[in-house]
């Protein structure tokens, strides 16, 4: 447990470095106008991902670990199936709403439809990252956090590489569209799509890696479930009730700052009426220090938490 926590602490800084390189690259290639479009899409992604991804991992982990510590492998397996199905439905609903109403969301935030494709990529990215969180919580509940740590690094590294490859292509298409529509904002909006495409494909890579690991663990897990002599397992209703209680207890207290910042950021875009360069500067000044502060606070307080 201590070794895995130490690795997690170091990997968190590695992921932050990959994120910073991506932001520096996008800032250099697209300017603050491009970063502004990416910022609003990323804020939507972060708000939903924190709610149904990051917040779910510790809850699912604790519920599975509790069952395994009592030798209830059938219950542990059922907990994963029930909550995994719930998260799959939630991710499909959220992603489906964004896909179908992407133009409407773009109009609400930017008062224009030019970001509809950007929000469609957000929908795909959310689906992949929420599914990856469910698999991550499951394996951590089984006592192995390393696959989730590796998947996160692979996902962010892939996101950086895909962004660097796709950015020139999106930027060129954006310039052509902007020339036809006679609106420069299209060029910046298209260029920002490369960053969100990288996030979506990175999430897909993370999901595929986690599925591979789960398949490797599958035989041993099934053996443990078959060896469990329990005749009765908890009902799906009890599992969902327990999960929702723990989830509602964790989300408001740990992530209220993220929600408030995200809401204020979106309101700023809506009432400004367009994507101003200042929003990109606010995003970089808000997200980067926020991540660094959160990492430091988590690692400093972790010995006391244990």
């Amino acid at each position: 447990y201590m070794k895995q926590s130490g690795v997690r602490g170091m990997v968190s800084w590695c992921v932050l470095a990959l994120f910073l390189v991506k932001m520096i690259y996008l800032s250099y290639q697209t300017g603050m106008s491009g970063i502004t479009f990416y910022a609003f899409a990323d804020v939507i992604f972060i708000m939903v991902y924190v709610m149904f991804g990051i917040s779910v991992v510790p809850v699912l982990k604790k519920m599975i670990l509790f069952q395994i510590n009592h030798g209830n492998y059938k219950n542990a397996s059922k907990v994963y199936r029930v909550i995994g199905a719930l998260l799959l439905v939630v991710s499909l609903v959220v992603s489906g709403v964004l896909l179908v109403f992407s133009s409407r969301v773009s109009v609400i935030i930017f008062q224009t439809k030019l970001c509809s494709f950007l929000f469609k990529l957000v929908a795909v990215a959310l689906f992949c990252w929420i599914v990856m969180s469910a698999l991550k919580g499951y394996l951590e509940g089984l006592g192995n956090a390393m696959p989730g740590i590796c998947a996160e690094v692979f996902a962010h590294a892939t996101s950086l590489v895909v962004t660097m490859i796709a950015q020139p292509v999106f930027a060129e298409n954006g310039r052509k569209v902007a020339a036809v529509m006679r609106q420069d904002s299209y060029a910046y909006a298209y260029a920002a799509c490369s960053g969100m495409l990288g996030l979506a494909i990175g999430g897909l890579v993370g999901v595929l890696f986690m599925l591979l690991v789960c398949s490797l663990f599958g035989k041993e897990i099934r053996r443990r479930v078959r060896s469990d002599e329990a005749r009765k397992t908890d009902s799906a209703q009890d599992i969902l009730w327990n999960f929702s209680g723990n989830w509602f207890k964790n989300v408001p207290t740990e992530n209220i700052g993220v929600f408030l910042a995200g809401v204020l950021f979106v309101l700023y875009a809506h009432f400004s009426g367009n994507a101003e360069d200042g929003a990109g500067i606010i995003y970089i000044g808000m997200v980067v220090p926020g991540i660094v502060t959160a990492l430091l606070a988590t690692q400093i307080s972790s010995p006391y938490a244990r």
Side-chain angles (χ1 to χ4, degrees), residues 8-241:
R8 188 197 303 274
M10 292 185 290
V11 167
S12 298
W13 292 104
C14 178
V15 169
L16 174 61
L18 291 170
F19 170 78
L20 290 177
V21 172
K22 179 179 175 179
M23 287 296 99
I24 292 171
Y25 175 80
L26 283 176
S27 300
Y28 177 76
Q29 293 292 336
T30 65
M32 279 296 103
S33 295
I35 285 294
T36 296
F37 283 100
Y38 178 79
F40 288 114
D42 197 38
V43 165
I44 299 295
F45 171 84
I46 289 173
M47 290 176 66
V48 180
Y49 177 56
V50 164
M51 186 181 300
F52 299 112
I54 295 176
S55 300
V56 165
V57 174
V59 178
L60 180 57
K61 169 188 171 181
K62 290 177 182 178
M63 291 180 66
I64 293 176
L65 193 60
F66 175 83
Q67 299 295 340
I68 289 178
N69 285 340
H70 289 78
N72 300 326
Y73 291 100
K74 286 185 179 179
N75 249 349
S77 179
K78 188 171 183 179
V79 166
Y80 166 67
R81 293 198 307 272
V82 171
I83 298 178
L86 172 65
L87 292 177
L88 182 62
V89 171
V90 168
S91 61
L92 285 172
V93 170
V94 172
S95 299
V97 169
L98 272 177
L99 283 172
V100 174
F101 298 101
S102 57
S103 297
R104 183 60 181 166
V105 173
S106 181
V107 170
I108 291 174
I109 296 179
F110 292 110
Q111 299 181 14
T112 176
K113 295 182 179 180
L114 61 89
C115 279
S116 59
F117 183 65
L118 186 59
F119 287 115
K120 289 178 180 178
L121 291 174
V122 173
V124 177
L126 279 172
F127 176 79
C128 294
W129 283 82
I130 291 174
V131 171
M132 186 170 67
S133 295
L135 296 170
K136 183 179 178 181
Y138 174 55
L139 290 178
E140 287 195 14
L142 297 177
N144 194 349
M146 288 304 298
I149 294 172
C150 294
E152 193 171 356
V153 175
F154 294 157
H156 283 279
T158 302
S159 175
L160 174 60
V161 173
V162 171
T163 299
M164 289 183 170
I165 294 173
Q167 196 280 331
V169 178
F170 276 97
E172 179 63 25
N173 290 333
R175 284 190 289 269
K176 293 178 180 179
V177 174
V180 174
M181 303 298 295
R182 297 181 180 179
Q183 187 175 353
D184 292 339
S185 296
Y186 278 94
Y188 300 123
Y190 270 67
C193 289
S194 60
M196 196 51 62
L197 177 66
L199 199 61
I201 295 180
L204 178 61
V205 169
V207 169
L208 293 176
F209 175 77
M210 294 294 283
L211 288 174
L212 174 63
V213 174
C214 287
S215 67
L216 296 176
F217 276 91
K219 186 177 181 180
E220 174 63 21
I221 295 171
R222 288 191 294 270
R223 186 190 65 80
R224 293 183 181 182
V225 171
R226 286 194 298 267
S227 65
D228 186 355
E229 298 179 354
R231 297 182 178 180
K232 186 178 180 181
T233 58
D234 293 342
S235 66
Q237 182 179 357
D238 289 339
I239 292 172
L240 290 174
W241 181 257

Side-chain angles (χ1 to χ4, degrees), residues 1-12 61 145-146 149 298-299 302-303 306:
Y1 178 84
M2 295 296 289
K3 287 181 180 179
Q4 290 183 2
S5 298
V7 172
R8 188 197 303 274
M10 292 185 290
V11 167
S12 298
K61 169 188 171 181
M146 288 304 298
I149 294 172
T298 301
Q299 294 182 6
S302 58
R306 295 190 193 104

